Amino acid sequence: MGHLVTLATCSLNQWALDFTGNAERILQSIREAKAAGASLRIGPELEVTGYGCLDHFLEADTDLHAWESLVMILSDEACSDVLLDIGMPVTHRNVRYNCRMITYNKQILLIRPKLSLANDGNYREMRYFSPWKGERVVEDYYLPRIAQKLTGQKKCRIGDALISTIDSCMGTETCEELFTPRSPGLGMGLDGCEIISNSSGSHHELRKLNTRIQLIVQETLKSGGIYLYANQQGCDGDRLYYDGSAMIIINGQVVAQGSQFSLHDVEVITATVDIEAVRSFRTAKSRNFQATKQPSYERIEVEMRLSVNAEDLDPRITPSCPIEIRYHLPEEEIALGPACWLWDYSSDAITAGFFLPLSGGIDSCATAVIVHSMCRLVYTDVVENKKSQVLKDLLMIVGEPSSSSWLPESPKDIASRLMHTAYLGMAENSSPDTRARSKDLAKDIGSYHLDLNIDTVYHAVTALFSTVTNYIPKYKMYGGTPASNLALQNIQARLRMVLSYLFAQLLPTVRGRNSKNPDNSNPGGLLVLGSANVDESLRGYLTKYDCSSADINPIGGISKTDLKRFILWASTNFNLPILQSFIDAPPTAELEPITHEYTQSDEADMGMTYNELSIYGPIRSPTKEFQTRSLRNVERAIAPMGRYDESSTDLWKSSLVFLVLPTLTPSYHAEQYSPDDNRFDLRPFLYPGWDWAWKKIEKSIKAMGERGAKVPAQIKDKEKENKKEA
């Protein structure tokens, strides 16, 4: 038997600027790691402050409180005799860095700054931090007085160095560095580093975990080594959900993997690995030839062993076996990620639950089913852990005293206390089918449901307008102009938003929430949930400040096609057969009168199907194609001229869309082509015409001649006929 070492990594539900709560969760993870026999514990990126502090990172108070928090953590008895890797911001010579603090027994061994900063998509690290000066650059760092008092040190080393224990060598890389073409871990491994930690603040995107795991596996498969991956898990106060998945990998094989989605604040995973297995794996001559040419890293020595002495080793302890990597289906990711995000948001915001305008369409249905998924997760946790933080949060949300003995009997029981839905219909515009679907779905998931018409309020508004202007707006089917037809639709949509917030504010009072609670007599209010999907937002198929305007939107970053797959999956896995009727129903806004000859259609209003619409988002981002290139690459069976006609209309409409996007409700980020222009998708909202692009496209189509008027299938058929004749 070689050198067995037990290592620990974790996923923590940290909250930006929650220094007290963050420190408590860090200490809990250290206690759990030590209880499992671990000699090394690593945590997520910037775990002391929380990753999502944004511009608060620019404030001196954030640096000060981070140091105060670190000192408090290291002063705790739990931190003795264990090597710790803790993340926080550090300012060195008036430059702020994103750093790892490597400590042992109240001594700060090394401050390791991040070399490569994440600065695309949702990430803006270079707004707050600077990348470190370079690989293997190390300097002296003079500790602040509060740290000097604890450690007795005047200074420590800062830079890209390794930690040398009595029996092994450890290095660290941070999040984005793993995704770079030449990750630091490769050079460290060639210089003899056997254990590499990666502390991340990596948020969830559909299908992203596959990429993350492949990169880690490939790195250790090429050069050998033990790799510990830690990540934040949960909503830390923003649109993102950090999806955990802490892992331990050795020589390309996963030996421990944590959950990707969880309601728990702390999840520690450990594995026992054999350092000798790394040394044996690295006997390949090609690897060693490169290792002899690898520049050396400075090594910080620490008098401690990671492995157990051979004479003290329990013979029953053996290395952890490789496990099969667990991946969720995209449909499961939609069920779990936004559900956990909603739970974090509602419990941290101390709300009374949710209010959702339930229209009978698939989008509001998807939002309702995500809340149902959340209730299922909460119920499972309460049943399994009757004294958990989840139960404490649930009692607070539903208005029970902290001493209450109430326990939910089912997920529907939870929904009946915290989920509120309403069908806000119009007598002549709303169909019996959508009204019935809304009612049936509300019953099946257990929500407190209201069914009402808003005609009286609608007619009061239109009558007021006519009284003031002497103009009577009409729908187009009754001889109205396009402007009046749209205005009448928008009145309904915006009234639904106003009424939604009225119900959200007063329904807890109506239902008597906290009326018998000695801890808190305030009935509180509900979070209003939106349900506009990413494709409709990109198309601009919504009304400014209608019921798509809400407090938060769990599906705002998810495409219509993925939502349909999710609903199909949920109909079986959640035993909700009513969901099939939502799939089968044609999508309609129901904002115009329904007649025997006419029913409003979303796809007719947009001028394209949802399948066609789903193509535009990925072309625009992440492939970053627009105008000319997007026309060439839209993979639809339309002739080039048809593509041009539609694309020219689409882009003209998109110029107007960007006037709407700044008003979008904060949404759960799930797709790489989210239209969220507050953080992810930064573009102007006032655009010129597209004359240059149009001329270029028209020239290309003209050069194609007859082929430019034919669809690709017709061209192929003609070519086949010519071959047969030949």
Side-chain angles (χ1 to χ4, degrees), residues 634-646:
V634 174
E635 297 178 358
R636 304 208 314 258
I638 320 172
M641 193 63 213
R643 290 186 187 177
Y644 169 65
D645 290 340
E646 291 202 13

PDB file of all heavy atoms in Angstrom, residues 634-646:
ATOM      1  N   VAL A 634     -28.545  30.170 -41.492  1.00  0.00           N
ATOM      2  CA  VAL A 634     -29.821  29.703 -40.966  1.00  0.00           C
ATOM      3  C   VAL A 634     -30.158  28.383 -41.651  1.00  0.00           C
ATOM      4  O   VAL A 634     -30.387  28.346 -42.851  1.00  0.00           O
ATOM      5  CB  VAL A 634     -30.948  30.726 -41.209  1.00  0.00           C
ATOM      6  CG1 VAL A 634     -32.278  30.137 -40.776  1.00  0.00           C
ATOM      7  CG2 VAL A 634     -30.684  32.002 -40.440  1.00  0.00           C
ATOM      8  N   GLU A 635     -30.168  27.313 -40.892  1.00  0.00           N
ATOM      9  CA  GLU A 635     -30.342  25.985 -41.486  1.00  0.00           C
ATOM     10  C   GLU A 635     -31.829  25.653 -41.581  1.00  0.00           C
ATOM     11  O   GLU A 635     -32.362  24.805 -40.883  1.00  0.00           O
ATOM     12  CB  GLU A 635     -29.592  24.953 -40.650  1.00  0.00           C
ATOM     13  CG  GLU A 635     -28.088  25.208 -40.650  1.00  0.00           C
ATOM     14  CD  GLU A 635     -27.356  24.218 -39.787  1.00  0.00           C
ATOM     15  OE1 GLU A 635     -28.028  23.364 -39.176  1.00  0.00           O
ATOM     16  OE2 GLU A 635     -26.136  24.291 -39.709  1.00  0.00           O
ATOM     17  N   ARG A 636     -32.491  26.339 -42.473  1.00  0.00           N
ATOM     18  CA  ARG A 636     -33.897  26.074 -42.714  1.00  0.00           C
ATOM     19  C   ARG A 636     -34.069  25.817 -44.209  1.00  0.00           C
ATOM     20  O   ARG A 636     -33.335  26.339 -45.037  1.00  0.00           O
ATOM     21  CB  ARG A 636     -34.763  27.273 -42.311  1.00  0.00           C
ATOM     22  CG  ARG A 636     -34.577  27.697 -40.871  1.00  0.00           C
ATOM     23  CD  ARG A 636     -35.830  28.351 -40.341  1.00  0.00           C
ATOM     24  NE  ARG A 636     -36.415  29.325 -41.241  1.00  0.00           N
ATOM     25  CZ  ARG A 636     -36.280  30.646 -41.101  1.00  0.00           C
ATOM     26  NH1 ARG A 636     -35.562  31.130 -40.130  1.00  0.00           N
ATOM     27  NH2 ARG A 636     -36.869  31.471 -41.940  1.00  0.00           N
ATOM     28  N   ALA A 637     -35.089  25.036 -44.531  1.00  0.00           N
ATOM     29  CA  ALA A 637     -35.322  24.693 -45.940  1.00  0.00           C
ATOM     30  C   ALA A 637     -36.088  25.821 -46.621  1.00  0.00           C
ATOM     31  O   ALA A 637     -37.251  25.688 -46.973  1.00  0.00           O
ATOM     32  CB  ALA A 637     -36.089  23.388 -46.039  1.00  0.00           C
ATOM     33  N   ILE A 638     -35.416  26.968 -46.747  1.00  0.00           N
ATOM     34  CA  ILE A 638     -36.012  28.112 -47.430  1.00  0.00           C
ATOM     35  C   ILE A 638     -35.024  28.562 -48.500  1.00  0.00           C
ATOM     36  O   ILE A 638     -33.813  28.493 -48.312  1.00  0.00           O
ATOM     37  CB  ILE A 638     -36.256  29.296 -46.470  1.00  0.00           C
ATOM     38  CG1 ILE A 638     -36.778  28.809 -45.115  1.00  0.00           C
ATOM     39  CG2 ILE A 638     -37.261  30.260 -47.055  1.00  0.00           C
ATOM     40  CD1 ILE A 638     -36.852  29.914 -44.109  1.00  0.00           C
ATOM     41  N   ALA A 639     -35.546  29.043 -49.591  1.00  0.00           N
ATOM     42  CA  ALA A 639     -34.672  29.566 -50.635  1.00  0.00           C
ATOM     43  C   ALA A 639     -33.938  30.794 -50.117  1.00  0.00           C
ATOM     44  O   ALA A 639     -34.437  31.510 -49.258  1.00  0.00           O
ATOM     45  CB  ALA A 639     -35.502  29.946 -51.863  1.00  0.00           C
ATOM     46  N   PRO A 640     -32.708  31.072 -50.611  1.00  0.00           N
ATOM     47  CA  PRO A 640     -31.967  32.259 -50.175  1.00  0.00           C
ATOM     48  C   PRO A 640     -32.784  33.542 -50.239  1.00  0.00           C
ATOM     49  O   PRO A 640     -32.713  34.379 -49.357  1.00  0.00           O
ATOM     50  CB  PRO A 640     -30.772  32.283 -51.125  1.00  0.00           C
ATOM     51  CG  PRO A 640     -30.561  30.851 -51.474  1.00  0.00           C
ATOM     52  CD  PRO A 640     -31.929  30.241 -51.530  1.00  0.00           C
ATOM     53  N   MET A 641     -33.587  33.693 -51.308  1.00  0.00           N
ATOM     54  CA  MET A 641     -34.392  34.913 -51.402  1.00  0.00           C
ATOM     55  C   MET A 641     -35.432  34.958 -50.293  1.00  0.00           C
ATOM     56  O   MET A 641     -35.702  36.007 -49.707  1.00  0.00           O
ATOM     57  CB  MET A 641     -35.090  34.976 -52.771  1.00  0.00           C
ATOM     58  CG  MET A 641     -35.682  36.347 -53.081  1.00  0.00           C
ATOM     59  SD  MET A 641     -34.395  37.611 -53.167  1.00  0.00           S
ATOM     60  CE  MET A 641     -35.286  39.027 -52.527  1.00  0.00           C
ATOM     61  N   GLY A 642     -36.000  33.773 -49.967  1.00  0.00           N
ATOM     62  CA  GLY A 642     -36.969  33.715 -48.881  1.00  0.00           C
ATOM     63  C   GLY A 642     -36.314  34.014 -47.545  1.00  0.00           C
ATOM     64  O   GLY A 642     -36.866  34.705 -46.695  1.00  0.00           O
ATOM     65  N   ARG A 643     -35.098  33.492 -47.392  1.00  0.00           N
ATOM     66  CA  ARG A 643     -34.361  33.799 -46.164  1.00  0.00           C
ATOM     67  C   ARG A 643     -34.123  35.297 -46.040  1.00  0.00           C
ATOM     68  O   ARG A 643     -34.278  35.881 -44.977  1.00  0.00           O
ATOM     69  CB  ARG A 643     -33.000  33.093 -46.179  1.00  0.00           C
ATOM     70  CG  ARG A 643     -33.062  31.601 -46.027  1.00  0.00           C
ATOM     71  CD  ARG A 643     -31.647  31.068 -45.909  1.00  0.00           C
ATOM     72  NE  ARG A 643     -31.597  29.624 -45.921  1.00  0.00           N
ATOM     73  CZ  ARG A 643     -30.466  28.930 -45.897  1.00  0.00           C
ATOM     74  NH1 ARG A 643     -29.322  29.568 -45.870  1.00  0.00           N
ATOM     75  NH2 ARG A 643     -30.486  27.619 -45.904  1.00  0.00           N
ATOM     76  N   TYR A 644     -33.759  35.883 -47.151  1.00  0.00           N
ATOM     77  CA  TYR A 644     -33.476  37.317 -47.127  1.00  0.00           C
ATOM     78  C   TYR A 644     -34.723  38.106 -46.771  1.00  0.00           C
ATOM     79  O   TYR A 644     -34.705  39.002 -45.936  1.00  0.00           O
ATOM     80  CB  TYR A 644     -32.923  37.781 -48.475  1.00  0.00           C
ATOM     81  CG  TYR A 644     -32.865  39.293 -48.607  1.00  0.00           C
ATOM     82  CD1 TYR A 644     -32.023  40.028 -47.795  1.00  0.00           C
ATOM     83  CD2 TYR A 644     -33.670  39.954 -49.523  1.00  0.00           C
ATOM     84  CE1 TYR A 644     -31.981  41.408 -47.891  1.00  0.00           C
ATOM     85  CE2 TYR A 644     -33.630  41.332 -49.631  1.00  0.00           C
ATOM     86  CZ  TYR A 644     -32.784  42.059 -48.812  1.00  0.00           C
ATOM     87  OH  TYR A 644     -32.742  43.425 -48.902  1.00  0.00           O
ATOM     88  N   ASP A 645     -35.842  37.758 -47.403  1.00  0.00           N
ATOM     89  CA  ASP A 645     -37.079  38.482 -47.121  1.00  0.00           C
ATOM     90  C   ASP A 645     -37.446  38.376 -45.652  1.00  0.00           C
ATOM     91  O   ASP A 645     -37.822  39.363 -45.012  1.00  0.00           O
ATOM     92  CB  ASP A 645     -38.228  37.930 -47.981  1.00  0.00           C
ATOM     93  CG  ASP A 645     -38.056  38.282 -49.457  1.00  0.00           C
ATOM     94  OD1 ASP A 645     -37.296  39.231 -49.733  1.00  0.00           O
ATOM     95  OD2 ASP A 645     -38.677  37.618 -50.306  1.00  0.00           O
ATOM     96  N   GLU A 646     -37.320  37.147 -45.099  1.00  0.00           N
ATOM     97  CA  GLU A 646     -37.671  36.984 -43.694  1.00  0.00           C
ATOM     98  C   GLU A 646     -36.640  37.626 -42.783  1.00  0.00           C
ATOM     99  O   GLU A 646     -36.972  38.268 -41.796  1.00  0.00           O
ATOM    100  CB  GLU A 646     -37.806  35.497 -43.365  1.00  0.00           C
ATOM    101  CG  GLU A 646     -39.017  34.861 -44.026  1.00  0.00           C
ATOM    102  CD  GLU A 646     -39.443  33.599 -43.304  1.00  0.00           C
ATOM    103  OE1 GLU A 646     -38.962  33.367 -42.182  1.00  0.00           O
ATOM    104  OE2 GLU A 646     -40.272  32.868 -43.847  1.00  0.00           O
TER     105      GLU A 646
END
